[in-house]
Amino acid sequence: MEASSGLVAGSYRRNELVRIRHESDGGSKPLKNMDREICQICGDHAGLTETGDLFVACNECAFPVCRPCYEYERKDGTQCCPHCKTRYRRLRGSPRVEGDEDEDDVDDIENEFSYAQGGANKPRRREEFSSSSRHDSQPIPLLTHGHGVSGEIRTPDTQSVRTTSGPLGPGDRNAISSPYIDPRQPVPVRIVDPSKDLNSYGLGNVDWKERVEGWKLKQEKNMLQMTGKYHEGKGGEIEGTGSNGEELQMADDSRLPMSRIVPIPPSHLTPYRVVIILRLIILGFFLQYRTTHPVKDAYPLWLTSVICEIWFAFSWLLDQFPKWYPINRETYLDRLAIRYDREGEPSQLTPVDVFVSTVDPLKEPPLVTANTVLSILAVDYPVDKVACYVSDDGAAMLTFESLSETAEFAKKWVPFCKKFSIEPRAPEFYFEQKIDYLKDKIQPSFVKERRAMKREYEEFKVRINALVAKAQKVPEEGWTMQDGTPWPGNNTRDHPGMIQVFLGHSGGLDTDGNELPRLIYVSREKRPGFQHHKKAGAMNALIRVSAVLTNGAYLLNVDCDHYFNNSKAIKEAMCFLMDPAYGKKCCYVQFPQRFDGIDLHDRYANRNIVFFDINLKGLDGIQGPVYVGTGCCFNRQALYGYDPVLTEEDLQPNIIVKSCCGSRKKGKNSKKYSYDQKRRGISRSDSNAPLFNMDDIDEGFEGYDDDRSILMSQKRVEKRFGQSPVFIAATFMEQGGIPPTTNPATLLKEAIHVISCGYEDKTEWGKEIGWIYGSVTEDILTGFKMHARGWMSIYCNPPRPAFKGSAPINLSDRLNQVLRWALGSIEILLSRHCPIWYGYTGRLRLLERLAYINTIVYPITALPLIAYCILPAFCLITDKFIIPEISNYASIWFILLFISIAVTGILELRWSGVSIEDWWRNEQFWVIGGTSAHLFAVFQGLLKVLAGIDTNFTVTSKASDEDGDFAELYIFKWTALLIPPTTVLVVNLIGIVAGVSYAINSGYQSWGPLFGKLFFALWVIAHLYPFLKGLLGRQNRTPTIVIVWSVLLASIFSLLWVRINPFVSVIPAANPNAVPGGVF
């Protein structure tokens, strides 16, 4: 699809396909030009048949293969087409091979061995990677790992290698010649330069590479002897190479792993684990004491506190043990380059499709989205292997027009970034950096070009802001495009699907004349009466449309406000996804979220440092981190619901057994599943069973290729993926790329078809494949389903953060963000995908399951937390306490518990590198969120799931006249979420005043018991202190409504408690002056 083909809008059900604003009426060009006359295996001319027609080896897909390669495949290869896996049929003039007897074609015995004479002008099969017996005079020397020797190979007497015998015996003038070797003719030998990649010789096909790798393993036994024969001179050079060992070193480096695990030092990790075990023991004795020593005169208070403490202990176990085996990882980008991206050779890096999702441009500013897109287009990755898809789920013309302006500015911005290697490559954040931008920039033209680019960007911002200002008022007749055509998305709930390719593939070059990555605008079709599933539905639409248009093997999704802070972020992910040890079993690589524009002290824990630098590192040592919704690079095959390729070591029951008892010894033949185990994996429960195992594709088993149509009937495939033959064909392309049999003329229609609103009906989209539906936090569900199938994920935390974004820094927006996350967890808890009971027939590890359970049950902690935060106030008001008078022995367990909690935190900060300030901010916001957003999420989730009532707590902005840095921090927005924590604050303040007043009136003997109660009340207030500062604002201006509600509720609770006073003992009748029912 050309970038100049204009906006395409259409509806599959209505059989509509309209092209708008097209520059030409020319047909679409194919996404990839494949010369049918060039063999895709050896790079030679495909040749002609005896009748003069182009030679076609496969009648099913017409994959370009020359006659010698065809003959080689039939005799020594797989006997199947490298592309479609269909078995080659015997063509006229071809010798018989095993399996031809099953064919019904007429025999061609008279021409069976006449190919050499009939095609004398046809070049023979070039066995450049074979050390056959015909090389009788001198063996072909090999380099390390089986690389060929650069330079011409000469025999003592001739200029080419000759053979003395053929497959039919010694050479004879009257003998029938073989189609492979003619003893009367010299055999041409292709010389392979070890410094070049095989793709430069046309040997980049996936199937060919697999055969070559197998051949190399057989040659490694002799490589020391082979290289030893050709050493000469003091440099130890190899004859014909002219090298001094650099090529050998490069070959060795290309075999090294592209990443490594950096374990936490035992001096940090062992004390941490010991303290965890000790804390667990102490906690057991503490709970035993608390449950066996009730407070008789305050039994309800004691019972409430014990229930809360038991839940807190359970919650701590769920959070603590998934951090049992934390690890760090390190990548080697230089090794990735040596293996897949050598300078001066075609890049072998795998194509990647990048997804950017946006909905409302008035809430998600177009300038922010434009910076994200620009950072993607300027990423350090081959331009022909990157495609950026922008999903506009709001069908806003503002997004479309701003993306058009972004595409024009990218033609200037991208070459500037790559010329001077600047970081970050989002212009807004690059130009606002307060650093010495001349550092490491030696080009004399840099200053001049930087100033010119900054002026260009300022003009670009003016144009974008003008579009935003224009979009504030919608015309009555709706938006109209520049050519007078009404905008198809004027009705955001009823509009056709829209696709526009702005850049890439003959769609405009940059100012230096270089090609740019593809930039594609997508807005899926929406019609009344259909369930569109919000962001998850939009992401699934992007999966399908990208598979039709570009079909990158990997997908990377970012939010519209998360830009590439590290231009090598994709390469960082490829170090894992393209690594032979990880790639076949890694479903995604998750990067941490880092943020700009947050206040210095991070008042509301927006950075989530504890989660990203402690929890996710712990999960990385088990089965991998959870998916957090953005900054994640996926294996497309994992999103399709396929099973991973697992070794026996990957099937260890859990990390505790492996750590304590050691791993089992593996036999020689235990590296992979047996065939029966693989088949058993397919026949698991329907909720986990994939269409077929990826292991079956890679390893292969007898009859698989021939019986593919039997194993995967058309009906079953369509029921799973939908009725799109182009998309279904793309799902079989494990390494990505458009199937060669795809007709480019049908791509537009097919792309519109796969984003139609009814495409997912009666399919498994959102149930077993793609982003999973059923929760507003679709990220948790999606990652959980993959891990349940046995996939592993990887946490990549490079020194320079891969992505940076913006976060809500004012209190109300932050609480509403936490509310949405907590609501999604409650929805999962009440669904069939709950980790407590789902996926036990799969391969989810125990500690990984505990982590997922903790992820969905944490909002419930709000109920015991808010009760526990109110208990100190009630104890102060009633002069009662939740703990009876304890002995010295019992007090030891209390002291040990507090010490163990403190030591655990200190050791955790030690191995993770998290600062104590970040840890304390996280503790504070855990209480703030638990007493507000989490509490509302529990009730809202119950109403939504059980009663079908969807209650939204909307936020209304209030004007603010503050200026300066972090002005948004002090903006107040009213929301009902503020009431519960404010009430807790006021109640505790009232309790402190009442307790101190009672102690003053009762004498010095009352001050001792008062300190324990005051400690707990002050503990609550200290945790809620950031919330209190947020209420007061910069100038201590608290909204009247918050004060009224909070004081009213606090007064009612306090007076009602004093009036009822259920914990005061019955006063003896001997005291007639006593006043019943009172405290003061």
Side-chain angles (χ1 to χ4, degrees):
M1 182 179 177
E2 296 182 2
S4 59
S5 58
L7 175 67
V8 178
S11 175
Y12 180 78
R13 289 178 174 268
R14 302 185 182 185
N15 196 24
E16 298 174 351
L17 187 65
V18 181
R19 179 177 293 175
I20 305 173
R21 294 178 59 189
H22 57 87
E23 298 179 6
S24 64
D25 294 329
S28 299
K29 296 182 180 180
L31 292 179
K32 181 179 179 181
N33 294 323
M34 179 178 293
D35 192 346
R36 294 288 176 175
E37 298 182 359
I38 302 299
C39 174
Q40 297 299 304
I41 295 181
C42 68
D44 288 342
H45 194 278
L48 304 176
T49 63
E50 295 178 357
T51 59
D53 298 327
L54 181 67
F55 177 76
V56 178
C58 178
N59 294 327
E60 297 294 331
C61 67
F63 187 70
V65 175
C66 66
R67 187 67 177 251
C69 292
Y70 161 77
E71 299 290 358
Y72 176 80
E73 287 288 342
R74 279 174 46 80
K75 181 180 179 182
D76 299 323
T78 62
Q79 300 184 3
C80 298
C81 173
H83 175 253
C84 68
K85 305 300 183 184
T86 304
R87 188 182 185 279
Y88 278 139
R89 302 182 67 86
R90 188 174 70 87
L91 302 179
R92 179 175 295 273
S94 298
R96 283 186 174 276
V97 296
E98 184 180 357
D100 288 346
E101 291 77 7
D102 300 334
E103 299 183 5
D104 298 330
D105 292 352
V106 180
D107 289 343
D108 187 25
I109 195 65
E110 65 275 13
N111 295 322
E112 184 166 344
F113 299 104
S114 62
Y115 173 69
Q117 290 112 359
N121 57 347
K122 180 71 183 166
R124 269 63 176 176
R125 172 69 187 168
R126 300 182 178 183
E127 310 245 0
E128 59 269 19
F129 293 109
S130 175
S131 56
S132 64
S133 60
R134 65 176 180 231
H135 300 169
D136 58 336
S137 59
Q138 180 178 348
I140 298 178
L142 299 175
L143 293 181
T144 305
H145 304 298
H147 287 285
V149 178
S150 176
E152 185 174 319
I153 302 175
R154 301 176 182 270
T155 57
D157 55 340
T158 62
Q159 297 298 319
S160 62
V161 179
R162 297 178 181 270
T163 181
T164 59
S165 63
L168 301 179
D172 186 11
R173 193 175 297 273
N174 298 323
I176 301 175
S177 61
S178 167
Y180 294 106
I181 302 172
D182 186 354
R184 296 165 297 177
Q185 299 293 334
V187 180
V189 178
R190 174 174 296 183
I191 308 304
V192 180
D193 187 349
S195 64
K196 294 186 178 180
D197 191 76
L198 295 181
N199 280 339
S200 61
Y201 298 95
L203 300 172
N205 182 271
V206 175
D207 298 296
W208 181 264
K209 281 184 176 180
E210 292 177 355
R211 294 199 301 274
V212 172
E213 290 296 328
W215 180 87
K216 288 178 180 178
L217 293 177
K218 298 177 182 178
Q219 298 297 322
E220 287 181 353
K221 298 179 180 179
N222 301 324
M223 62 182 169
L224 292 178
Q225 300 174 358
M226 302 290 281
T227 55
K229 293 180 181 180
Y230 296 94
H231 287 295
E232 72 175 11
K234 20 184 188 177
E237 297 182 359
I238 298 176
E239 181 181 0
T241 63
S243 67
N244 58 1
E246 294 179 359
E247 289 85 353
L248 289 174
Q249 182 63 38
M250 180 175 294
D252 289 336
D253 290 343
S254 67
R255 300 283 177 171
L256 295 174
M258 295 181 289
S259 65
R260 74 181 182 100
I261 294 176
V262 183
I264 306 296
S267 59
H268 292 178
L269 200 55
T270 302
Y272 175 66
R273 290 173 175 170
V274 171
V275 171
I276 290 176
I277 299 299
L278 292 177
R279 179 176 173 180
L280 182 62
I281 297 172
I282 294 170
L283 185 61
F285 280 101
F286 172 79
L287 292 178
Q288 186 270 341
Y289 175 83
R290 292 283 287 127
T291 54
T292 56
H293 292 76
V295 181
K296 296 181 179 180
D297 60 344
Y299 193 85
L301 285 178
W302 168 83
L303 182 61
T304 302
S305 65
V306 169
I307 293 174
C308 294
E309 289 162 1
I310 293 175
W311 178 263
F312 293 152
F314 172 71
S315 179
W316 172 76
L317 289 175
L318 293 179
D319 179 70
Q320 186 65 66
F321 278 99
K323 297 182 285 189
W324 183 262
Y325 190 65
I327 61 172
N328 294 312
R329 293 185 188 268
E330 185 180 33
T331 57
Y332 299 101
L333 296 180
D334 54 341
R335 296 177 185 175
L336 177 73
I338 292 174
R339 183 176 294 190
Y340 297 110
D341 195 25
R342 294 183 181 179
E343 187 176 356
E345 299 180 6
S347 175
Q348 299 302 308
L349 292 172
T350 309
V352 178
D353 294 334
V354 185
F355 296 168
V356 181
S357 56
T358 181
V359 180
D360 188 353
L362 298 181
K363 294 182 179 180
E364 299 165 332
L367 189 61
V368 175
T369 304
N371 274 270
T372 300
V373 172
L374 289 170
S375 68
I376 295 172
L377 298 179
V379 73
D380 185 8
Y381 208 75
V383 294
D384 59 329
K385 297 180 181 294
V386 177
C388 176
Y389 291 83
V390 179
S391 171
D392 179 17
D393 217 31
M397 186 175 171
L398 173 58
T399 302
F400 178 83
E401 295 292 346
S402 63
L403 205 59
S404 178
E405 291 286 348
T406 303
E408 290 300 318
F409 179 71
K411 297 177 182 179
K412 306 173 184 177
W413 173 252
V414 172
F416 171 76
C417 293
K418 294 186 176 181
K419 180 178 180 180
F420 299 106
S421 301
I422 66 169
E423 296 284 359
R425 299 190 176 181
E428 181 71 22
F429 303 96
Y430 169 69
F431 288 122
E432 74 177 9
Q433 290 182 115
K434 298 178 181 179
I435 60 174
D436 181 11
Y437 61 85
L438 294 178
K439 185 179 180 181
D440 300 329
K441 298 296 187 296
I442 60 176
Q443 296 92 331
S445 62
F446 172 69
V447 175
K448 181 179 179 180
E449 292 192 31
R450 185 184 186 277
R451 291 173 180 171
M453 184 54 60
K454 189 171 184 180
R455 288 194 298 269
E456 292 282 354
Y457 178 65
E458 293 298 332
E459 295 174 1
F460 169 72
K461 289 173 63 176
V462 170
R463 294 193 296 270
I464 294 295
N465 291 332
L467 292 175
V468 174
K470 179 182 176 182
Q472 298 299 319
K473 186 177 181 181
V474 181
E476 295 182 1
E477 65 279 4
W479 296 109
T480 303
M481 304 179 72
Q482 293 181 0
D483 61 351
T485 307
W487 172 246
N490 277 324
N491 187 344
T492 58
R493 298 184 178 181
D494 187 3
H495 65 82
M498 295 177 282
I499 298 176
Q500 166 75 60
V501 180
F502 285 106
L503 292 175
H505 196 69
S506 72
L509 306 177
D510 61 23
T511 54
D512 292 343
N514 299 319
E515 187 179 354
L516 292 168
R518 288 182 176 89
L519 176 59
I520 303 169
Y521 169 88
V522 178
S523 181
R524 57 178 173 148
E525 180 186 15
K526 287 190 176 180
R527 302 295 181 189
F530 288 90
Q531 178 60 262
H532 301 294
H533 302 289
K534 300 180 180 179
K535 180 182 178 181
M539 300 305 294
N540 284 338
L542 285 183
I543 293 178
R544 297 190 295 269
V545 73
S546 64
V548 171
L549 297 180
T550 54
N551 197 32
Y554 303 110
L555 311 175
L556 194 153
N557 85 291
V558 293
D559 290 340
C560 64
D561 59 344
H562 274 71
Y563 65 91
F564 276 68
N565 183 65
N566 185 346
S567 62
K568 300 183 184 296
I570 298 181
K571 290 184 177 180
E572 294 278 355
M574 292 302 108
C575 286
F576 301 103
L577 293 173
M578 296 185 69
D579 192 288
Y582 293 110
K584 298 296 183 181
K585 57 185 178 181
C586 178
C587 55
Y588 60 80
V589 176
Q590 178 65 62
F591 292 90
Q593 293 185 26
R594 305 301 186 204
F595 300 97
D596 288 318
I598 297 178
D599 59 298
L600 182 61
H601 300 290
D602 193 14
R603 179 184 295 179
Y604 306 122
N606 284 281
R607 293 190 178 96
N608 283 329
I609 295 295
V610 172
F611 175 75
F612 286 111
D613 288 0
I614 297 181
N615 294 74
L616 293 193
K617 285 184 179 180
L619 290 177
D620 199 19
I622 306 172
Q623 198 174 346
V626 298
Y627 169 43
V628 300
T630 183
C632 187
C633 192
F634 285 93
N635 185 334
R636 189 184 282 267
Q637 299 296 318
L639 286 170
Y640 288 157
Y642 296 147
D643 270 0
V645 179
L646 296 177
T647 62
E648 186 172 323
E649 184 181 0
D650 297 320
L651 298 178
Q652 295 289 343
N654 55 67
I655 197 67
I656 294 180
V657 174
K658 184 176 178 181
S659 300
C660 299
C661 304
S663 58
R664 293 176 295 173
K665 292 185 178 180
K666 298 182 291 182
K668 296 181 180 179
N669 301 323
S670 62
K671 289 185 178 180
K672 299 281 184 178
Y673 283 129
S674 66
Y675 172 75
D676 294 336
Q677 288 173 319
K678 290 187 290 184
R679 301 309 300 164
R680 235 179 275 128
I682 296 179
S683 60
R684 296 197 311 267
S685 62
D686 292 339
S687 60
N688 287 333
L691 189 61
F692 54 87
N693 277 355
M694 287 303 301
D695 197 8
D696 294 337
I697 297 178
D698 297 321
E699 295 299 320
F701 55 86
E702 185 177 357
Y704 179 82
D705 293 321
D706 296 337
D707 297 336
R708 172 173 291 191
S709 59
I710 298 176
L711 292 174
M712 298 172 295
S713 64
Q714 183 69 20
K715 184 177 180 180
R716 184 181 179 187
V717 172
E718 290 182 353
K719 183 179 180 181
R720 186 175 181 84
F721 294 111
Q723 297 182 354
S724 171
V726 176
F727 173 72
I728 292 174
T731 61
F732 295 110
M733 306 290 291
E734 183 185 354
Q735 298 300 321
I738 301 299
T741 56
T742 302
N743 183 4
T746 64
L747 288 181
L748 282 177
K749 184 177 180 181
E750 205 65 29
I752 291 295
H753 172 37
V754 297
I755 61 173
S756 59
C757 54
Y759 182 84
E760 296 181 356
D761 291 349
K762 299 180 181 179
T763 67
E764 296 186 8
W765 283 101
K767 302 173 185 175
E768 300 297 329
I769 59 178
W771 268 257
I772 306 302
Y773 304 149
S775 171
V776 294
T777 53
E778 69 289 331
D779 46 2
I780 300 296
L781 266 181
T782 303
F784 174 65
K785 292 281 287 187
M786 294 180 185
H787 283 135
R789 291 190 181 99
W791 290 93
M792 64 171 289
S793 57
I794 288 177
Y795 187 57
C796 181
N797 188 10
R800 180 179 179 86
F803 306 95
K804 281 191 175 182
S806 57
I809 63 173
N810 70 76
L811 179 60
S812 301
D813 288 347
R814 174 69 167 138
L815 290 178
N816 274 273
Q817 181 189 55
V818 174
L819 170 64
R820 188 180 70 85
W821 295 343
L823 176 60
S825 296
I826 294 297
E827 290 174 342
I828 298 174
L829 177 63
L830 302 176
S831 70
R832 74 181 186 92
H833 290 117
C834 177
I836 298 176
W837 52 73
Y838 178 84
Y840 282 97
T841 57
R843 304 187 185 107
L844 187 66
R845 298 188 180 181
L846 175 61
L847 294 183
E848 192 80 12
R849 183 180 297 277
L850 291 181
Y852 273 108
I853 293 175
N854 182 53
T855 303
I856 63 153
V857 302
Y858 77 90
I860 300 179
T861 307
L863 299 176
L865 179 61
I866 198 168
Y868 211 72
C869 289
I870 294 177
L871 280 178
F874 287 165
C875 291
L876 288 168
I877 293 174
T878 60
D879 194 26
K880 303 297 177 183
F881 201 39
I882 58 176
I883 300 175
E885 293 184 3
I886 59 177
S887 62
N888 294 333
Y889 172 78
S891 63
I892 295 177
W893 295 112
F894 283 84
I895 296 174
L896 289 177
L897 180 62
F898 288 117
I899 292 177
S900 66
I901 293 174
V903 173
T904 303
I906 293 172
L907 294 178
E908 202 168 73
L909 300 182
R910 184 187 179 196
W911 66 253
S912 65
V914 175
S915 66
I916 191 170
E917 182 181 13
D918 290 325
W919 177 83
W920 174 239
R921 292 301 185 197
N922 182 78
E923 293 294 312
Q924 287 180 314
F925 196 78
W926 178 73
V927 176
I928 296 172
T931 56
S932 57
H934 298 172
L935 181 66
F936 276 76
V938 171
F939 293 106
Q940 185 177 353
L942 291 174
L943 290 175
K944 183 177 182 180
V945 175
L946 301 180
I949 302 174
D950 191 1
T951 306
N952 292 320
F953 298 93
T954 58
V955 179
T956 304
S957 298
K958 251 183 130 178
S960 173
D961 57 357
E962 288 97 356
D963 294 322
D965 294 337
F966 311 116
E968 186 185 354
L969 181 66
Y970 307 101
I971 297 176
F972 180 82
K973 301 177 181 180
W974 161 248
T975 173
L977 298 174
L978 301 175
I979 295 177
T982 307
T983 302
V984 172
L985 266 175
V986 174
V987 167
N988 277 277
L989 291 174
I990 292 176
I992 291 175
V993 173
V996 173
S997 301
Y998 182 82
I1000 293 174
N1001 294 332
S1002 301
Y1004 70 91
Q1005 68 276 5
S1006 301
W1007 286 98
L1010 178 65
F1011 285 133
K1013 305 171 189 176
L1014 286 177
F1015 171 80
F1016 284 106
L1018 293 175
W1019 175 87
V1020 174
I1021 295 175
H1023 279 77
L1024 293 175
Y1025 178 70
F1027 176 82
L1028 180 61
K1029 289 186 66 176
L1031 285 181
L1032 299 178
R1034 176 177 287 175
Q1035 299 178 3
N1036 296 337
R1037 297 179 303 176
T1038 305
T1040 305
I1041 189 171
V1042 174
I1043 297 176
V1044 171
W1045 271 101
S1046 302
V1047 173
L1048 179 62
L1049 291 176
S1051 301
I1052 292 175
F1053 287 142
S1054 301
L1055 294 175
L1056 189 62
W1057 193 273
V1058 172
R1059 181 68 183 89
I1060 298 174
N1061 203 3
F1063 304 123
V1064 175
S1065 302
V1066 179
I1067 300 175
N1071 187 3
N1073 298 324
V1075 180
V1079 179
F1080 300 103

